Amino acid sequence: MSESNTVERRVTLASPEETHRLGVRLGELLEPGDFVGLIGDLGAGKTHLVRGVAEGARVPRSEVASPTFAIVYPYSGRIPLYHADLYRLTGYDDLYATGFMDLVGGEGAVLVEWLDRVPEAAPREHLRLTLAHAGEDSRTLEAQAFGARASTLLTAWLP
Ligand SMILES: Nc1ncnc2c1ncn2[C@@H]1O[C@H](COP(=O)(O)OP(=O)(O)O)[C@@H](O)[C@H]1O
Ligand SMILES: [Mg+2]
């Protein structure tokens, strides 16, 4: 899976606060067109991280939901953020029907939980984050950047 130009990082997130802080920093760095896919079991911390990202992108706290009943939540911060959860989708056709693909590479940044449900949702260039349980309050984060912009983003986020 690794390509020679793929930047990768692996960090331990020792507490929910640490995950949140890391999310805030990512939110400060995101630019329109960025695509971040999140992978990990229920409770791995995907939504927790996205809440930090939204704060870092200066989305008003009241806007941020857990996208359980909708496929995509739009947030307006410093830039538009689209927060999607593909948990309930069965495939690309489902996703295509929602109009989600029109958001990709557009004027906002896109964050997608359960990207592994519909991997085709990701553009070729994207940042892929895999979260895993490592204890009650501890998680591991594996980050893989595909493409030049995602590599720049990941290197700035996790130097
Ligand atoms: N290090 C950590 N990072 C993120 N969340 C953590 C951590 N330790 C414990 N948690 C808890 O795990 C849960 C993660 O939930 P959530 O973000 O909704 O997961 P997901 O969206 O991946 O299903 C939250 O209750 C959070 O407080
Ligand atoms: Mg979630």
Side-chain angles (χ1 to χ4, degrees):
M1 159 149 41
S2 297
E3 297 164 31
S4 56
N5 67 342
T6 301
V7 177
E8 298 185 330
R9 294 286 187 273
R10 186 187 165 87
V11 294
T12 299
L13 305 165
S15 67
E17 294 72 29
E18 201 173 319
T19 301
H20 187 84
R21 275 198 300 277
L22 212 66
V24 170
R25 257 174 53 208
L26 179 57
E28 290 167 353
L29 294 167
L30 282 181
E31 291 178 2
D34 285 339
F35 184 104
V36 181
L38 295 115
I39 295 170
D41 290 341
L42 276 174
K46 301 181 296 297
T47 300
H48 197 81
L49 185 71
V50 171
R51 283 177 197 282
V53 172
E55 184 178 316
R58 301 207 295 271
V59 173
R61 188 166 303 228
S62 58
E63 279 194 32
V64 181
S66 178
T68 308
F69 299 110
I71 303 295
V72 185
Y73 276 92
Y75 305 143
S76 44
R78 176 176 63 75
I79 58 172
L81 288 190
Y82 299 101
H83 179 193
D85 190 320
L86 308 186
Y87 185 66
R88 286 180 167 71
L89 292 191
T90 53
Y92 185 78
D93 290 348
D94 250 12
L95 184 64
Y96 198 81
T98 66
F100 168 85
M101 298 313 293
D102 298 337
L103 303 174
V104 176
E107 86 283 14
V110 178
L111 296 135
V112 179
E113 298 190 38
W114 294 100
L115 178 65
D116 46 332
R117 294 282 160 122
V118 190
E120 312 93 299
R124 207 165 46 80
E125 304 215 349
H126 67 280
L127 183 61
R128 186 181 307 168
L129 307 180
T130 304
L131 287 152
H133 286 81
E136 195 174 330
D137 276 340
S138 182
R139 305 288 187 266
T140 57
L141 168 69
E142 278 181 28
Q144 287 178 297
F146 298 93
R149 163 59 194 160
S151 298
T152 301
L153 177 61
L154 178 52
T155 307
W157 184 38
L158 304 174

